[in-house]
DNA sequence: ATAAAGTACTCCAATTGAGAGTATAGGGCC
DNA sequence: GGCCCTATACTCTCAATTGGAGTACTTTAT
């Protein structure tokens, strides 16, 4: 039995499908590809290319720079076939890790300053990610991207990335402003105002709210596969 | 040396801080709390409460239902203190796993139907999550939430959740519409249009773009601690 | 009375993440 | 010519984590 491929496997395959890379480049350049949508440890990449090449999905070529070897991987027909088959399987849902929200829940245990610091950090992280998104955008506009011939696809992803980050950034800003306007972190007199705000939140799910017998998911959704 | 606490530990502590729970409830009711912002396996929760109670951060009380035991955990002062200290440490950045984007990148290897199915799945997942968000919203408005006294904090989280999902949902809709308008998945004549669209994407980072000497992060950012 | 669904966990094999460690290459500086 | 610093190119290990299977009792529905 062939060992099971994970989404990480397919992410690596997808990146090598663009053009051949050495493992080192692959691990570094993931930044330009999947760091923000499928973040995995560097060592996982090194492990993965070996597995994939032992399964014949990647083709590893040893090159020499002086006395030091490096392996350059390219995708095989079998690898492309594996990707093709994967596209027919169910996708795993959007998932996030957002520690700041957990901190928000217990914020009243700490100081106002602490939660402000946390949210400022979130805002700055988002700015940094957006800066990167702007870079990618500019590369496409300048026509110098490695995937220039695929703009019509990549544009959809850049759209996603920038929209999402703008949303998170805007939330961080308004939440920061709200908390700054408080005297302290106690509930005193804040709950009425909060209910007003919560009432205005747009949960616009016209159809699905009407009648969709969604089975209650008892299982946590699978994050990888 | 006390074993290191992870963000998962603090997530459990934060949930038990609301009121006592049995482990089973804790594992199930994570849905209402952290399923979408800090998803972890069920077995991880069982392991975690044991660790936390052996460290004296939780207090486990054995109860009996007929012949079957169940353990109800409540937070201790030491547990609350641990949460308090945690709030002073740096937060780990927002991270997501979004398999659909990887699929989008290699979509031309498959059929138009396949990528449409994938995006439809994303849209439906988002709808389901929004339905849940609407439920939480309604509970607060009806004044029956377990954390009713904390609306002023929870409202900020509900705002985040609903804003983010609306953004992802809207992206799924417009991307679906765009792809439906294509004859096939080939690049023919699509790149010019895509460049137009990409040009209009709002990357509004006035300050940070001007002059922020952000050190290039070579390390992948830590996701948990 | 019986079946099905819910409660309340334990245990395990396989993956993954984070970091430390090893070693060579190349450029700048004195 | 020697030294230092940074980049390249990995390997190895350990602990954390996941998903799933398994056990066994309780409650509800038929």
């Amino acid at each position: 039995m062939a060992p099971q491929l994970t989404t990480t496997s397919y992410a690596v395959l997808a990146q090598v499908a663009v053009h051949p890379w050495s493992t080192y480049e692959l691990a570094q350049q993931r930044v330009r590809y999947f760091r923000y949508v499928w973040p995995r440890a560097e060592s996982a990449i090194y492990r993965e290319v070996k597995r994939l090449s032992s399964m014949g999905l990647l083709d590893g070529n040893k090159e020499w720079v002086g006395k030091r070897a490096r392996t350059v991987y390219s995708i095989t027909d079998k690898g492309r076939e594996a990707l093709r088959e994967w596209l027919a399987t169910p996708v795993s849902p959007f998932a996030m890790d957002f520690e700041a929200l957990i901190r928000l829940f217990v914020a009243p245990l700490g100081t106002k300053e602490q939660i402000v610091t946390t949210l400022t950090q979130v805002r700055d992280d988002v700015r940094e990610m957006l800066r990167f998104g702007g870079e990618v955008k500019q590369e496409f506009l300048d026509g110098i991207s490695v995937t220039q011939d695929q703009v019509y696809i990549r544009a959809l992803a850049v759209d996603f990335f920038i929209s999402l980050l703008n949303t998170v950034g805007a939330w961080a800003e308004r939440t920061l402003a709200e908390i700054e306007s408080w005297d302290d972190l106690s509930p005193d007199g804040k709950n009425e105002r909060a209910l007003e705000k919560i009432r205005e939140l747009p949960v616009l799910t016209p159809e699905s709210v009407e009648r969709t017998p969604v089975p209650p998911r008892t299982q946590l959704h699978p994050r990888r596969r």
Side-chain angles (χ1 to χ4, degrees), chain A:
Chain A
M1 271 297 130
Q4 198 56 49
L5 293 177
T6 66
T7 302
T8 305
S9 317
Y10 294 110
V12 170
L13 274 179
Q15 191 179 348
V16 179
V18 173
H19 75 84
W21 306 82
S22 78
T23 323
Y24 185 75
E25 287 170 325
L26 213 46
Q28 298 297 304
Q29 290 302 111
R30 281 191 94 253
V31 169
R32 293 222 104 47
Y33 292 83
F34 303 125
R35 168 145 80 119
Y36 292 122
V37 293
W38 201 259
R40 289 301 177 269
E42 207 191 324
S43 55
I45 310 305
Y46 282 91
R47 237 192 320 253
E48 202 58 47
V49 284
K50 283 189 197 170
R51 275 186 65 210
L52 293 173
S53 95
S54 80
M55 292 168 70
L57 306 181
L58 288 184
D59 185 25
N61 252 56
K62 229 173 189 161
E63 294 185 355
W64 292 92
V65 183
K67 282 188 184 181
R68 198 170 51 189
R70 65 192 223 132
T71 315
V72 175
Y73 290 95
S74 38
I75 196 166
T76 64
D77 287 342
K78 209 173 152 192
R80 246 181 295 267
E81 186 50 34
L83 277 175
R84 212 169 275 128
E85 280 166 23
W86 174 58
L87 290 174
T89 64
V91 70
S92 78
F94 175 83
M96 57 187 152
D97 277 6
F98 195 29
E99 194 187 284
L101 271 201
I102 307 177
R103 289 185 186 230
L104 194 55
F105 287 167
V106 292
L109 286 176
T111 67
K112 179 175 154 181
E113 212 195 348
Q114 285 171 346
I115 190 66
V116 165
T117 304
T118 294
L119 289 171
T120 305
Q121 188 61 56
V122 169
R123 191 198 55 194
D124 292 347
D125 284 344
V126 166
R127 276 193 191 160
E128 163 62 14
M129 290 183 180
L130 266 176
R131 197 198 47 71
F132 164 72
E135 248 178 62
V136 172
K137 170 183 166 175
Q138 199 51 49
E139 270 178 28
F140 278 117
L141 290 181
D142 294 347
I144 58 170
S145 170
V146 179
T147 50
Q148 194 66 34
D149 55 323
Q150 302 250 346
V151 205
Y152 73 112
I153 291 285
R154 301 279 162 158
L156 305 171
V158 177
D159 176 17
F160 171 81
F161 191 68
I162 291 178
S163 305
L164 184 110
L165 289 175
N166 278 326
T167 299
V168 178
W171 173 82
E173 303 271 16
R174 71 174 170 270
T175 303
L176 223 26
E178 171 75 15
I179 291 177
E180 300 271 28
S181 82
W182 295 350
D183 290 329
D184 54 42
L185 298 183
S186 78
D188 307 341
K190 304 196 184 79
N191 281 342
E192 297 68 29
R193 180 180 152 78
L195 278 172
E196 273 322 300
K197 291 212 150 192
I198 227 174
R199 181 167 288 117
E200 283 155 28
L201 291 178
V203 190
L204 308 160
T205 48
E207 313 95 323
S208 72
V209 150
E210 274 168 15
R211 183 85 0 192
T212 319
V214 186
R217 303 197 202 171
T218 52
Q219 279 292 88
L220 295 180
H221 49 219
R223 304 184 60 229
R224 330 198 163 104
R225 168 125 305 278

